[in-house]
């Protein structure tokens, strides 16, 4: 009894030719796939290098921004100190003015503690 499909009978030479062609096609497909993978690797390596360069540049910019921020904080602290010293001196001068003269009245002067700083 036959099993459902047709069995072809090939000569040994036909079988070798078919195997040779199938193996050549397989090698061509494998070579193309390998070439595609190599191109992908080269492209990804380029992207990685670009990202590393960008990351390094961004890191350098962040370091510079942090240094500038620290410098500005120090300048602000110094200016606050100078402002407080000037306000204290102003209060002392107003008190001295109040104690030594009656004209003009110190109430007509602006009290530095009431001044608005922007």
């Amino acid at each position: 009894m036959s099993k459902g499909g047709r069995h072809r009978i090939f000569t040994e030479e036909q079988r070798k030719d078919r195997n040779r062609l199938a193996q050549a096609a397989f090698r061509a497909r494998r070579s193309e796939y390998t070439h595609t993978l190599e191109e992908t690797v080269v492209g990804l390596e380029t992207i990685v290098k670009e990202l590393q360069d960008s990351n390094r540049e961004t890191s350098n910019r962040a370091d510079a921004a942090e240094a500038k921020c620290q410098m500005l904080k120090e300048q602000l602290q110094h200016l606050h100190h100078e402002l407080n010293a000037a306000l204290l001196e102003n209060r002392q001068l107003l008190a001295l003015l109040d104690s030594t003269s009656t004209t003009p009245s110190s109430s007509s002067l602006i009290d530095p503690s009431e001044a608005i700083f922007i």
Side-chain angles (χ1 to χ4, degrees), residues 2 7 9 27 29 40 45 61-62 72 79 92 97:
S2 162
H7 289 125
I9 300 175
R27 284 191 299 269
R29 286 191 310 271
T40 301
E45 285 174 342
R61 290 178 63 195
L72 291 172
L79 290 173
Q92 291 170 346
L97 185 63

Side-chain angles (χ1 to χ4, degrees), residues 42-55:
V42 168
L44 291 174
E45 285 174 342
T46 300
I47 290 170
V48 166
K49 184 182 180 318
E50 290 171 357
L51 289 172
Q52 287 172 335
D53 291 344
S54 175
N55 187 36

Side-chain angles (χ1 to χ4, degrees), residues 28-106:
R29 286 191 310 271
R30 184 178 59 190
S31 176
E32 180 62 31
Y33 180 68
T34 301
H35 180 71
T36 300
L37 288 177
E38 288 170 347
E39 287 178 343
T40 301
V41 166
V42 168
L44 291 174
E45 285 174 342
T46 300
I47 290 170
V48 166
K49 184 182 180 318
E50 290 171 357
L51 289 172
Q52 287 172 335
D53 291 344
S54 175
N55 187 36
R56 192 173 8 273
E57 180 183 334
T58 301
S59 180
N60 290 341
R61 290 178 63 195
D63 290 344
E66 285 179 13
K68 185 174 182 177
C69 182
Q70 183 61 35
M71 179 192 68
L72 291 172
K73 282 181 182 178
E74 290 169 3
Q75 286 179 352
L76 181 61
Q77 185 178 14
H78 177 72
L79 290 173
H80 275 271
H81 178 70
E82 286 184 5
L83 177 61
N84 286 333
L87 288 173
L88 177 63
E89 182 182 6
N90 198 7
R91 283 187 202 112
Q92 291 170 346
L93 290 173
L94 283 173
L96 181 62
L97 185 63
D98 279 344
S99 68
T100 59
S101 85
T102 57
T103 305
S105 72
S106 60

